[in-house]
Amino acid sequence: MGDVFLTETEGRQVEELLRYGFEVPSAPKWWVINVAIARSLAMEGEPGDEFGRPQANQGKGAEIHLEQIVGRKTSSDDNLEGALRLLLGAKHSIDLTDDEACFIDLLQRHTRRGLQELRATWRRGNDFYNFLYQDFFYSQIDSSPTQTISNKPLLQNAMQQIGIQFDLIGEPIIGPRITRYIMQLRAVDGQEKLQASLGRLKFVLGGLPSNPMITEQDGEKTLALDIPRTPREWQPIPAKTVEATVYDASGDLPICLGVTPIGEPFVFDLAEEPHIFIAGATGMGKSTCVHAIILSLLTSKRNVELLLIDPKKVEFAPYSRLKNLYRGQVCTAPHTAFEMLAELVEEMERRENIFVGLGVVKISEAVAKGHNLPRILVIIEELADLIMQYPEIEEPLIQLAAKGRSSGIHLILATQRPDAATFKGLLRSNIPCRAALYVQSASHSRIILDESGAEDLMGKGDLLLKRAGHKVQRLHGAFVQSTDVLALNRS
């Protein structure tokens, strides 16, 4: 009898990873199981009860024997049981030496949570081995205090090599991921020359995870130059940052995605935007950004309803029991999503008629007159997939984007594939607020932001936020998972 059980969907995922990820279809399934467990152990928090043994209505999937997972019948060099007991015990602060039932239960929950994370971050066609390297090695963050405070002589030598003359203003500012140097360039054309030489500056400084970035400027000569540090020197930005920032914030829909490059929490009112488009390459933090928005909305305790649309059926699955879901469910079927969005168009028109009767023009004025109308936030996890499966869905989205603001209906549209076919025409023109995470090319950055820059980000939550009437703002996203949202929902 199997000791770790998977749903039908998870069973198919294991087969897909063996065939298209490892590219060894005949390999044993425990290859994938061990990768999933490792991925879950690297995540913050503990896997909840939703990752326990699947229910009968989730379909019959694979059954993986404990002996296969831990290698009980193999040589001592290949037997992972002792290591897994120690790792799981340390993660959960319990002794698993003789507790077989608890050991199996934790293997079960970490396996399913890890598989969910792999579904959300890896896509067929991407190099699986490179993905594992980036996810397990390059991207792991050391939470110890930053050790490289600043290295002014190194920067001065590097700038001299690329022919830039400058004077430093004050001491370097140490942020969670970057070191910021405020400088005054001596030549009038120094900024243009520096901008063209950032790639070379990265090479001369050596070991940087991405190009330096000019993020603030005052006139032609004074600017801020952000030098990225290596991932092991990053300081983590926990979910508590979002909660603490939003809890007492003003505004109708205060949102915190994370902190500025110098570590100051950053909050803005989504109701003033009033929609946002979020895009970035696989594994760069798009979904984490969406979780931060949901956590912000729940923390602020505003009167909101959430219409969660998840065509991948993965990212929003843990939210099926949120207290304020629109129509009490997470929407996964494209045709149902279309029907619910069309229904919201009708609700928008109904509210407009109410406003006419009250002699007001927007939802805040109607609420002030005693009408308890919740704001409704439509959050779509993968816009490109949804439009590809159901092209007709673009019509109600355009209507809501154009007219939803005054009636309190807002769109948060996210995608891993920022292409012109996904974000175009009327939909684009009605969503000026954009968040771009790392993308592979300047052309992708221009699709999101109408300008380049996102191709020079560091990844893992590093983003550029563009809002109407504001300069592009660089932020480091907080590390927020569905478990952080669910913990708040239960409190």
Side-chain angles (χ1 to χ4, degrees), residues 138-187:
Y138 178 76
S139 64
Q140 295 307 307
I141 298 173
D142 184 352
S143 61
S144 61
T146 302
Q147 299 172 11
T148 305
I149 301 302
S150 67
N151 197 331
K152 290 188 285 186
L154 180 63
L155 177 64
Q156 289 168 339
N157 290 336
M159 294 282 275
Q160 185 176 8
Q161 288 189 47
I162 64 174
I164 304 293
Q165 300 296 316
F166 71 101
D167 297 302
L168 285 177
I169 300 175
E171 290 298 313
I173 302 170
I174 309 301
R177 297 188 183 184
I178 61 96
T179 301
R180 172 170 289 179
Y181 295 87
I182 308 298
M183 59 180 63
Q184 185 172 35
L185 304 178
R186 296 176 185 173

Side-chain angles (χ1 to χ4, degrees), residues 27 109 124 156 163 216 321 362 423:
R109 289 194 276 143
R124 187 193 303 183
Q156 289 168 339
E216 293 183 5
R321 295 185 180 179
K362 56 185 179 180
F423 193 49

Side-chain angles (χ1 to χ4, degrees), residues 76-284:
S76 58
D77 291 340
D78 297 324
N79 191 319
L80 301 176
E81 183 169 0
L84 283 170
R85 286 184 185 271
L86 285 172
L87 286 169
L88 290 168
K91 179 77 171 180
H92 296 269
S93 301
I94 55 178
D95 183 2
L96 293 174
T97 305
D98 300 312
D99 194 338
E100 188 80 352
C102 186
F103 178 51
I104 293 173
D105 175 63
L106 291 176
L107 285 175
Q108 170 76 69
R109 289 194 276 143
H110 279 285
T111 294
R112 295 191 62 208
R113 181 170 76 163
L115 286 173
Q116 174 179 284
E117 186 68 11
L118 290 172
R119 284 198 301 276
T121 54
W122 179 76
R123 291 290 179 267
R124 187 193 303 183
N126 295 335
D127 187 301
F128 186 63
Y129 292 97
N130 183 61
F131 163 78
L132 291 180
Y133 171 76
Q134 296 287 333
D135 207 43
F136 284 96
F137 298 101
Y138 178 76
S139 64
Q140 295 307 307
I141 298 173
D142 184 352
S143 61
S144 61
T146 302
Q147 299 172 11
T148 305
I149 301 302
S150 67
N151 197 331
K152 290 188 285 186
L154 180 63
L155 177 64
Q156 289 168 339
N157 290 336
M159 294 282 275
Q160 185 176 8
Q161 288 189 47
I162 64 174
I164 304 293
Q165 300 296 316
F166 71 101
D167 297 302
L168 285 177
I169 300 175
E171 290 298 313
I173 302 170
I174 309 301
R177 297 188 183 184
I178 61 96
T179 301
R180 172 170 289 179
Y181 295 87
I182 308 298
M183 59 180 63
Q184 185 172 35
L185 304 178
R186 296 176 185 173
V188 175
D189 63 344
Q191 182 175 324
E192 182 179 346
K193 186 175 181 180
L194 177 58
Q195 183 69 51
S197 303
L198 292 176
R200 186 181 171 199
L201 181 61
K202 172 189 174 183
F203 175 77
V204 174
L205 288 170
L208 302 184
S210 64
N211 286 343
M213 185 178 291
I214 299 171
T215 54
E216 293 183 5
Q217 55 196 52
D218 182 12
E220 294 181 343
K221 294 184 178 182
T222 304
L223 55 82
L225 181 66
D226 290 350
I227 307 294
R229 298 195 298 273
T230 59
R232 70 172 58 240
E233 294 180 305
W234 292 355
Q235 297 170 356
I237 304 161
K240 292 295 183 184
T241 300
V242 174
E243 295 183 44
T245 303
V246 172
Y247 187 76
D248 292 321
S250 59
D252 292 319
L253 292 175
I255 299 295
C256 176
L257 300 180
V259 301
T260 67
I262 61 174
E264 297 174 344
F266 183 85
V267 64
F268 66 99
D269 188 357
L270 182 61
E272 296 299 319
E273 299 308 326
H275 316 291
I276 182 169
F277 177 68
I278 305 168
T282 302
M284 293 299 106

Side-chain angles (χ1 to χ4, degrees), residues 366-424:
V367 170
K369 289 197 171 186
H371 279 258
N372 188 27
L373 296 172
R375 290 183 181 268
I376 302 173
L377 286 99
V378 179
I379 306 179
I380 298 178
E381 164 58 21
E382 187 46 72
L383 179 65
D385 279 3
L386 190 63
I387 291 178
M388 182 176 65
Q389 294 181 53
Y390 210 93
E392 297 89 343
I393 209 162
E394 190 174 10
E395 181 180 347
L397 285 175
I398 290 172
Q399 291 177 281
L400 293 171
K403 299 172 58 182
R405 176 177 189 164
S406 62
S407 58
I409 300 175
H410 309 274
L411 305 178
I412 296 105
L413 309 179
T415 185
Q416 291 177 345
R417 299 199 300 274
D419 53 53
T422 299
F423 193 49
K424 61 183 181 179

Side-chain angles (χ1 to χ4, degrees), residues 279-307:
T282 302
M284 293 299 106
K286 170 187 64 66
S287 296
T288 303
C289 190
V290 173
H291 292 315
I293 291 175
I294 297 175
L295 184 64
S296 296
L297 295 169
L298 296 184
T299 302
S300 66
K301 299 188 183 300
R302 302 306 197 262
N303 185 16
V304 298
E305 291 185 0
L306 306 177
L307 171 52

Side-chain angles (χ1 to χ4, degrees), residues 323-379:
K323 299 172 184 177
N324 52 348
L325 281 182
Y326 182 78
R327 297 293 182 260
Q329 62 177 311
V330 172
C331 180
T332 58
H335 69 277
T336 305
F338 174 79
E339 292 170 358
M340 296 179 84
L341 290 172
E343 182 180 298
L344 281 186
V345 172
E346 295 178 359
E347 172 65 14
M348 176 180 68
E349 294 171 350
R350 184 185 74 85
R351 291 185 176 194
E352 289 173 348
N353 291 331
I354 292 174
F355 297 167
V356 170
L358 293 172
V360 301
V361 296
K362 56 185 179 180
I363 187 172
S364 57
E365 295 174 351
V367 170
K369 289 197 171 186
H371 279 258
N372 188 27
L373 296 172
R375 290 183 181 268
I376 302 173
L377 286 99
V378 179
I379 306 179

